[in-house]
Amino acid sequence: ELYFVCVGYFKQRVLVPVRFYSSLVAFVARDVTGRAAKKYLNPKGVSQALWFFNWDNCVSSNRVVVCEGVFDAMAVERAGYPAMASFGKRLSSVQRKLLSRFDEVTILYDQDALFGAFDTGKKLAKLTEVKIGILKEGDPGDADVSTLRKVIDDAGSVKSPGFLVEYIRSEA
């Protein structure tokens, strides 16, 4: 569910509710004009480090894809995978504990956050199986369905980082 805000502090933004076990716990408000100083606004006094966007739709699965942003997670879900957004490049200790309930977590951050994804994945790998998906460019929200499927299906284990070395070599 999405809402468009016409007036007030969140004017000209798409508002995306964040629910945790059906309770509304936060929201993300994204600018749609391209003119705002901040692309995203969040409610004051609410820590996003305690939740994931789309948790309720993923909690019954044994594997999940974790993205940075809500629109990235929506794109991955359209590609056929259970997906959540962590609201940034790092996972809090609370978020890592929540993810430990899954048998497998694939981290699919924006292309410019690859090393952050790997660092986050190493911490999370103490709790569950972790893979890293590598986009050659852009964000998951901008990728087409076939690209997302290939990246997720080809994701490499954070415990065997040879895929990361090969990626770095291919970009050099």
Side-chain angles (χ1 to χ4, degrees):
E1 67 193 293
L2 301 174
Y3 301 92
F4 184 75
V5 181
C6 298
V7 297
Y9 182 68
F10 297 104
K11 180 180 180 179
Q12 303 275 324
R13 293 178 182 273
V14 172
L15 192 131
V16 183
V18 178
R19 299 186 187 286
F20 189 73
Y21 292 109
S22 300
S23 294
L24 180 65
V25 294
F27 62 84
V28 176
R30 185 180 192 274
D31 173 60
V32 294
T33 67
R35 297 186 307 255
K38 287 186 167 185
K39 188 175 186 178
Y40 292 96
L41 293 177
N42 305 300
K44 294 185 188 314
V46 175
S47 174
Q48 291 180 319
L50 302 174
W51 327 106
F52 286 97
F53 165 74
N54 208 31
W55 172 265
D56 288 5
N57 289 335
C58 298
V59 73
S60 63
S61 180
N62 13 344
R63 65 183 287 225
V64 67
V65 178
V66 176
C67 304
E68 290 179 62
V70 298
F71 292 97
D72 297 333
M74 288 180 200
V76 169
E77 195 169 66
R78 279 191 306 275
Y81 301 87
M84 300 186 296
S86 61
F87 309 109
K89 294 172 177 59
R90 303 279 183 223
L91 296 176
S92 70
S93 60
V94 171
Q95 288 173 318
R96 286 193 304 270
K97 180 141 176 75
L98 287 169
L99 288 174
S100 71
R101 71 165 319 285
F102 297 96
D103 296 335
E104 181 182 292
V105 175
T106 299
I107 299 174
L108 181 60
Y109 285 173
D110 299 354
Q111 191 275 334
D112 65 350
L114 177 59
F115 293 105
F118 188 70
D119 184 53
T120 296
K122 286 191 302 186
K123 291 175 186 169
L124 183 59
K126 296 173 184 171
L127 303 171
T128 189
E129 181 65 31
V130 179
K131 293 183 174 184
I132 306 289
I134 300 176
L135 281 171
K136 293 290 185 181
E137 60 186 21
D139 302 345
D142 299 328
D144 60 64
V145 167
S146 62
T147 298
L148 289 173
R149 287 180 180 155
K150 179 158 180 39
V151 166
I152 294 166
D153 292 343
D154 292 348
S157 172
V158 76
K159 292 179 182 174
S160 304
F163 73 96
L164 183 60
V165 172
E166 289 305 314
Y167 172 79
I168 292 167
R169 285 185 185 149
S170 73
E171 294 297 304

